[in-house]
Amino acid sequence: MNKLTPVLKPLTLPNGAVLKNRLLMAPMTTCTGFYDGTVTSELVEYYRDRAGSIGTVIVECCFIDRLGPAFPGAIAIDSDDKIPGLKKIADAIKSKGSKAILQIYHGGRMVEPELIGGRTPVAPSAIAAPREGATTPKELTGEEVETMITKFGDAVNRAIKAGFDGVEIHGANTYLIQQFYSQNSNQRTDKWGGDRDKRALFPMEVLEITHKMAKRFADASFIIGYRFSPEELEVPGIRFDDTMYLLEKLAARGLDYVHFSVGQLLRPSIVDTQDPTPLITKFRAMRSETLAKVPVIGVGGVVNKSDAESALEHGFDLVAVGKACIAYPDWADRIINNDHLELYIDSHKREELNIPEPLWRFSLVDAMIRDTSVTGRKYKAGVYQEKVEAEALKLKINVVLDTDRITDIQLVKDDSLDVDFTTTFESLRTRMLVANSPHVDAITGATTQSEALKKAVSRAMTTSNKEHVIDEGGNPQAPQNFDVVVIGSGGAGLAAAIQAHDDGAHVVIIEKMPTIGGNTIKASVGMNAAETRFQKLKGIEDSKDLFYDETLKGGKFKNNPVLLREFVELAPEAIEWLAAKEIELNDITITGGMSIDRTHRPADRSAVGGFLISGLVKNINKREIEVLLETSVSEILFENGAVSGVQVVDEYNDTRILNAKSVIVATGGFSANRNMVVSYRPDLDGFVTTNHAGATGSGIAMLQRLGADTVDMGEIQIHPTVEQTTSYLISEAIRGGGAILVSQAGHRFYNEMETRDKVSAEIIGLPEKSAWIIFDEQVRANNKAADEYIAKGFVLSAPTPQELAVKLNMDPQVLADTLERYNLFVVAKKDEDFGRTTALRHPLNQGPFFAIRIAPGVHHTMGGVTINPDTAVLDAQKQIIPGAWAAGEVVGGIHGANRIGGNAVADIIIFGTLAGRKATAFSKA
Ligand code: ADP
């Protein structure tokens, strides 16, 4: 934190009052007064919330006479009964440590008759304002002008009674005071009109009476400021030298500050458009020594600290901040913290930001509201051509985008087009148009082509989004703000993002691969949980304690007991969390190391990974959560002792910063990083891996750079049944469904339902270092995954065991005998050879018979970063790294030395949702 920034330096005003820093909240209309201008409690809270670190709050303009309100919902100081309400505002601001100044005004001819009960507004002269439909006002008599000045005096008196530290005389906005000074609206011939000295008399008298009241009722530190509009466009009208003339006169009488009323700090003349010199520069060049002693406030377009610093560098002494204070009640704290701010308001956050309802609907605020219920991404409407390349397929598509959606996807005509792809294309096109997203399920049997098409559409959208940002005058590489950034689109990342969104976070998912789903999409068997509704429906009696004990035993008692207990306790809720999102895992099977059916899988018994990711992605699309594909997080940013966001590199190699108070690391394990695996386990050199290419452990490395501790890094699971030519994993559900393992010699050699590490060790111990998984038609019929393996072409099959043995280059009789013996054990429910007690489903006696050659492959990295039970990442001293959260395979400790099949999916949903919840709460704290 840089306390030395000039914007935080105190300033002593000419009257001796000290402003603790150079920052002020600008007076802004809220339209939140009662019908008669009394203060509402909403308004009190609005100001209370915005006071504090900011030096001074200038409260919105308050009309001094019942004919003075210039807009609906204006607040008033026209009678003593308004004092208590105003006092509440002053007290609220001062109790937070800021100075409270009240702006006072009269609208004059700018008042609409309907705001004053149909009466005719008053003004210096009976000349209507130069706008359509403006009412011609009634000219104030000389006596009425005198009375008007006393009303300003009464208002000052009331402001003092209400406890304000000062008043700002509103000489701007073409309201009454400006109307008197302007030769356009003041064409009087009495002492209040004529040359500019005479026209200056009214503002001078208002200042005079203000001084008198302050002298009489307040102490010397009562602040008197003056706000002015530097020029008028009208002919004749106020020019900048007229303004300087008036300011000099006012300064000579005594002012504590003058306040420019412009939309942009460095605005040049609006009359002499050839002259680019900022008015502040002219002001400084033209002012006398007397005026130079009066501090000057600049306003307009200040959002970040650099804007405020630039204002001071250009010669302003003080900086008033408008919209940014509405969007960020703690604006000053944020810039002190060097936060980078964007001027927008999350559409869900009106109440949280204490923005009164009428202000919320006011155009100034309305323009800042960003509806986060629709995607943050907007497009430049048009047609974007992209290439689709997948294996032999090479073609082009036109993606037609409207500003917020995909309106069409067309194949560019090509006579050589494969007919099959046309069908795939049509189905995918429909899915993408319905979902308004490229993230839809691939077409079965055309996965690679589907993914290539999805990617092409996604790329077109990214290109168009960048063009949109440029058209809006923005920079596509400019930092973006989120509450929560999720790294990784596997199960943990998607679950975390959904939960974070549902808890109100503005969230984005970053995925380095071209497709969503990570390694989770490959998960096969299911999700373990004990004491679930679905178990009860099936009459399965289970207990969380037993689930705990068996996981602990499977993990060789190395599991982190606190995390494991939490895992077991939250598992049934996670099953329900999915069910509520239409991801029902209501069929139940068993995996190695468990004694009870507690592995939940889809009703059609298909592999859980694809089903899960497809369901989660539908939820992501429904919520319009942004997913950036082929975008990799290269660094997690850390500032002032906490995570502050991430640096990403996208497919075009463009680097960008995404700011966020919470970053959830859900990057999965490191099984596909051979060097990393071998560095912890030299014995695994040369092993294939079942994992997708993205499982490189980058999340672990990034967190380690922030000081994160790791645990169990050498605990790397090899899966016993991996098809070696494709590295395709043969699901445990096949063994859980009744399959057996047989050596090349044709014999069973171990309890197939033992934990993965033990089964793997036995296979490696065989002379061939591989084995055959054998099953029959009944197993196939109950496991959709089997059909997938058959379709992939690595399943051998034959009508009888003997015929199958021939294909396996095995002695037919030996294999037939092995099956017969095993079938006896199934009937007796007792495996006399290897003590298998589970998944003795049915005798393997119905052809056709099937076989797949398998051997172990690197499958899961149990080790990873350390977390606490809230998923907060811990350093070596077991202290949290603020803002860093982790869930899924990137985390170590839960599974100990060996992960039980079905526990990884449970892990990602349980801890993913928890991370989403905790990270969101932290980001809002
Ligand atoms: P889990 O099962 O824990 O959810 P997965 O392996 O299914 O883990 O998903 C992790 C995802 O994270 C993968 O899709 C992977 O490509 C992605 N990923 C890993 N490192 C990065 C990174 N640095 N930036 C973006 N995505 C990453």
Side-chain angles (χ1 to χ4, degrees), residues 542-557:
D542 196 1
S543 85
K544 289 176 177 173
D545 286 342
L546 189 63
F547 182 25
Y548 179 95
D549 290 344
E550 291 180 351
T551 302
L552 192 63
K553 182 162 169 265
K556 302 190 183 129
F557 301 93

Side-chain angles (χ1 to χ4, degrees), residues 487-493 510-513 517-520 631-633 666-668 692 694 698 702 887-889 908:
I487 319 176
S489 71
I510 315 298
E511 170 55 57
K512 69 176 178 180
M513 303 301 282
N519 215 49
T520 304
T631 304
S632 167
V633 173
T667 48
H692 83 138
S698 68
M702 288 190 287
E889 197 176 340
I908 59 185

Side-chain angles (χ1 to χ4, degrees), residues 207-255:
L207 177 61
E208 187 58 39
I209 200 160
T210 303
H211 272 291
K212 279 189 187 142
M213 289 297 170
K215 191 156 183 235
R216 211 179 298 162
F217 301 113
D219 60 37
S221 65
F222 191 76
I223 301 163
I224 301 172
Y226 192 88
R227 192 167 212 227
F228 64 97
S229 293
E231 295 169 314
E232 285 177 346
L233 276 174
E234 286 80 41
V235 183
I238 298 172
R239 298 293 173 262
F240 195 59
D241 63 321
D242 296 321
T243 291
M244 291 305 291
Y245 182 82
L246 175 64
L247 294 180
E248 290 291 356
K249 280 176 83 93
L250 295 165
R253 172 59 189 93
L255 269 182

Side-chain angles (χ1 to χ4, degrees), residues 317-582:
D317 302 285
L318 293 158
V319 191
V321 185
K323 291 190 275 189
C325 277
I326 299 179
Y328 300 96
D330 55 350
W331 177 80
D333 293 305
R334 289 177 186 251
I335 69 143
I336 290 168
N337 261 326
N338 289 317
D339 286 2
H340 178 86
L341 304 176
E342 261 193 273
L343 203 51
Y344 80 90
I345 303 175
D346 180 331
S347 59
H348 298 102
K349 295 195 173 163
R350 185 189 74 76
E351 288 181 6
E352 190 185 315
L353 295 173
N354 258 323
I355 298 177
E357 189 86 53
L359 176 58
W360 187 251
R361 292 194 298 264
F362 197 64
S363 55
L364 165 102
V365 171
D366 196 39
M368 287 195 281
I369 297 174
R370 191 175 288 175
D371 190 354
T372 54
S373 61
V374 299
T375 173
R377 268 187 145 192
K378 291 268 177 276
Y379 308 103
K380 179 178 176 176
V383 181
Y384 294 81
Q385 190 159 97
E386 286 290 341
K387 284 191 195 137
V388 183
E389 294 189 0
E391 296 161 352
L393 185 75
K394 279 194 180 34
L395 51 92
K396 286 186 184 141
I397 54 164
N398 284 332
V399 182
V400 188
L401 294 172
D402 201 345
T403 52
D404 59 350
R405 72 203 147 85
I406 316 169
T407 52
D408 202 4
I409 305 164
Q410 305 149 346
L411 269 180
V412 175
K413 271 240 162 303
D414 181 348
D415 292 342
S416 64
L417 203 60
D418 176 342
V419 176
D420 280 353
F421 184 70
T422 316
T423 323
T424 302
F425 173 81
E426 279 310 321
S427 313
L428 258 184
R429 173 183 173 275
T430 311
R431 286 185 192 179
M432 289 194 259
L433 291 179
V434 169
N436 189 32
S437 166
H439 312 313
V440 294
D441 290 344
I443 304 297
T444 319
T447 315
T448 315
Q449 296 177 336
S450 302
E451 293 303 343
L453 181 61
K454 284 158 64 176
K455 184 57 216 160
V457 174
S458 165
R459 193 179 303 121
M461 293 170 87
T462 303
T463 308
S464 163
N465 169 253
K466 286 191 178 183
E467 288 186 11
H468 165 79
V469 174
I470 293 167
D471 276 4
E472 295 281 295
N475 171 5
Q477 274 171 268
Q480 269 184 289
N481 293 337
F482 294 92
D483 297 318
V484 177
V485 167
V486 176
I487 319 176
S489 71
L494 298 179
I498 291 168
Q499 186 61 50
H501 175 277
D502 289 357
D503 284 358
H506 181 38
V507 60
V508 64
I509 302 171
I510 315 298
E511 170 55 57
K512 69 176 178 180
M513 303 301 282
T515 53
I516 295 184
N519 215 49
T520 304
I521 207 162
K522 294 180 141 207
S524 52
V525 63
M527 168 166 167
N528 291 338
E531 298 185 30
T532 67
R533 177 162 59 95
F534 298 127
Q535 280 183 317
K536 281 178 199 132
L537 282 174
K538 287 194 183 315
I540 299 166
E541 280 200 27
D542 196 1
S543 85
K544 289 176 177 173
D545 286 342
L546 189 63
F547 182 25
Y548 179 95
D549 290 344
E550 291 180 351
T551 302
L552 192 63
K553 182 162 169 265
K556 302 190 183 129
F557 301 93
K558 230 180 155 183
N559 318 52
N560 176 320
V562 178
L563 293 180
L564 180 57
R565 176 56 67 188
E566 192 176 28
F567 170 81
V568 163
E569 287 299 326
L570 297 180
E573 274 172 42
I575 291 280
E576 291 302 331
W577 186 91
L578 288 173
K581 294 177 177 58
E582 294 180 38

